[in-house]
């Protein structure tokens, strides 16, 4: 079975009504990036950060997967599909994708702030258990924190993502500006004979030297075009 790896960014969720980061009214909702998306912001004011992520979680409940998420999931009928996403939403999973690697963490998960990768302290939040109370503690006595990879933190899923990209027959990038590393560098791990596609309505910083086929469309339209190219 041919293997397709999708590398997705905020653009794949844009048509679900989730703002991208680098648009004018970006996803940080006018909160300073250094306060809500940087490990230093957490150290300085964990309550502010906790409330911000509570707000994002509540917003996520009102959003639904769009056609692009659903078509990516549908491709599993004929291909081995792995999604490597920079998004912290759960729309790929809710659309039915069974193999999703979250490079930048997951909005619906919280963890210990003493040891973020201690899986015993990970807690999956649900629609009915969305809000982390100010000062709420993990079992190890440290503050519960969002399971998000902030600026200044390592990217634990990076090696796994590299392994997936380097074994793919087809790599499809959807809706990322290629501005944030190491995610932006993953495409360079694709095999020389892999087919590469990039779906984005705008000019991005994607490398021009790799022979990528650019589909300059929004995710939903671009995915429909890709389905035809994949003879689906
Ligand atoms: P960006 O906001 O940087 O880029 C979004 C991309 O989506 C742009 O290239 C847009 O042109 C494109 N786009 C907009 N609407 C689209 C649509 N309907 N269909 C397809 N594409 C569309 O978001 P990311 O590249 O995902 O990390 O940002 C990368 C990382 O920056 C995020 O994961 C986040 C942030 O820092 C962390 O917070 C750790």
């Amino acid at each position: 079975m041919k293997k397709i790896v999708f590398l997705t960014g905020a653009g794949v969720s844009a048509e679900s009504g989730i703002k991208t980061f680098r648009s004018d009214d970006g996803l940080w909702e006018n909160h300073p990036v250094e306060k809500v998306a940087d490990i230093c912001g957490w150290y300085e004011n964990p309550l502010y950060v906790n409330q911000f992520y509570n707000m994002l979680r509540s917003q996520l409940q009102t959003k639904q997967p769009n056609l692009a998420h659903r078509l990516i999931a549908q491709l599993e009928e004929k291909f081995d599909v792995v999604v490597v996403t920079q998004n912290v939403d759960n729309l790929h999973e809710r659309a039915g994708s069974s193999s999703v690697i979250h490079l930048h963490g997951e909005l619906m998960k919280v963890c210990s702030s003493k040891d973020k990768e201690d899986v015993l302290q990970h807690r999956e939040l649900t629609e009915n258990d969305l809000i982390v109370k100010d000062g709420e503690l993990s079992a190890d006595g440290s503050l519960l924190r969002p399971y998000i990879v902030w600026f200044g933190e390592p990217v634990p899923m990076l090696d796994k993502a590299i392994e997936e990209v380097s074994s793919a027959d087809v790599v499809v990038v959807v809706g990322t500006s290629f501005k944030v590393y190491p995610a932006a560098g993953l495409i360079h791990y694709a095999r020389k004979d892999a087919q590469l596609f990039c779906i984005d309505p705008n000019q991005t910083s994607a490398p021009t030297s790799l022979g990528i086929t650019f589909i300059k469309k929004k995710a939903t339209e671009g995915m429909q075009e890709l389905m035809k190219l994949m003879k689906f």
Side-chain angles (χ1 to χ4, degrees):
M1 213 186 222
K2 259 191 171 181
K3 175 167 176 171
I4 310 184
V5 171
F6 283 89
L7 300 175
T8 69
V12 77
S13 296
E15 288 162 272
S16 294
I18 298 181
K19 292 170 190 164
T20 59
F21 290 93
R22 289 167 183 81
S23 53
D24 293 341
D25 58 346
L27 186 60
W28 284 300
E29 306 280 347
N30 299 322
H31 291 256
V33 176
E34 63 279 10
K35 282 195 174 176
V36 295
D38 191 300
I39 184 63
C40 296
W42 168 259
Y43 291 140
E44 274 164 29
N45 195 344
L47 296 192
Y48 182 87
V49 175
N50 185 51
Q51 285 165 8
F52 174 76
Y53 284 91
N54 277 339
M55 183 268 291
L56 286 189
R57 270 181 219 116
S58 299
Q59 273 185 5
L60 178 57
Q61 306 318 302
T62 67
K63 312 296 179 193
Q64 303 303 327
N66 64 49
L67 182 64
H69 297 106
R70 292 199 302 275
L71 291 177
I72 291 171
Q74 203 183 328
L75 281 166
E76 290 187 21
E77 289 168 20
K78 282 201 184 166
F79 299 92
D80 175 12
V81 178
V82 176
V83 179
V84 176
T85 187
Q86 294 170 78
N87 299 344
V88 299
D89 67 51
N90 56 3
L91 298 184
H92 282 300
E93 287 91 340
R94 282 163 54 195
S97 281
S98 59
S99 177
V100 184
I101 296 172
H102 285 273
L103 272 184
H104 293 162
E106 294 172 66
L107 195 49
M108 293 301 286
K109 246 189 205 178
V110 287
C111 60
S112 147
S113 53
K114 190 153 119 198
D115 183 358
K116 177 170 171 284
E117 298 309 321
D118 178 357
V119 289
L120 295 176
Q121 316 277 330
H122 286 182
R123 192 171 108 207
E124 209 53 75
L125 300 172
T126 61
E127 216 177 320
N128 302 319
D129 169 34
L130 274 182
I131 302 300
V132 177
K133 292 187 209 77
D134 287 342
E136 201 172 332
L137 300 180
S138 175
D140 64 5
S142 69
L143 274 182
L144 270 182
R145 60 161 272 183
Y147 187 66
I148 302 285
V149 176
W150 287 315
F151 287 111
E153 295 195 297
V155 181
M157 296 309 284
L158 183 63
D159 287 347
K160 179 75 183 134
I162 290 173
E163 194 184 309
E164 298 294 355
V165 173
S166 53
S167 58
D169 300 290
V170 182
V171 179
V172 186
V173 181
V174 189
T176 177
S177 57
F178 283 85
K179 293 271 195 244
V180 174
Y181 282 82
L186 278 172
I187 189 87
H188 292 280
Y189 290 90
R191 286 188 339 231
K192 293 276 174 287
D193 64 340
Q195 276 183 290
L196 310 180
F197 296 94
C198 183
I199 301 172
D200 199 301
N202 301 308
Q203 180 84 34
T204 67
S205 304
T208 49
S209 59
L210 299 177
I212 302 174
T213 301
F214 288 93
I215 301 176
K216 231 176 159 203
K217 295 193 168 152
K218 287 184 175 181
T220 52
E221 256 185 277
M223 273 305 300
Q224 292 177 77
E225 191 164 321
L226 185 88
M227 298 301 273
K228 287 186 204 139
L229 293 171
M230 293 289 118
K231 305 203 180 345
F232 199 90

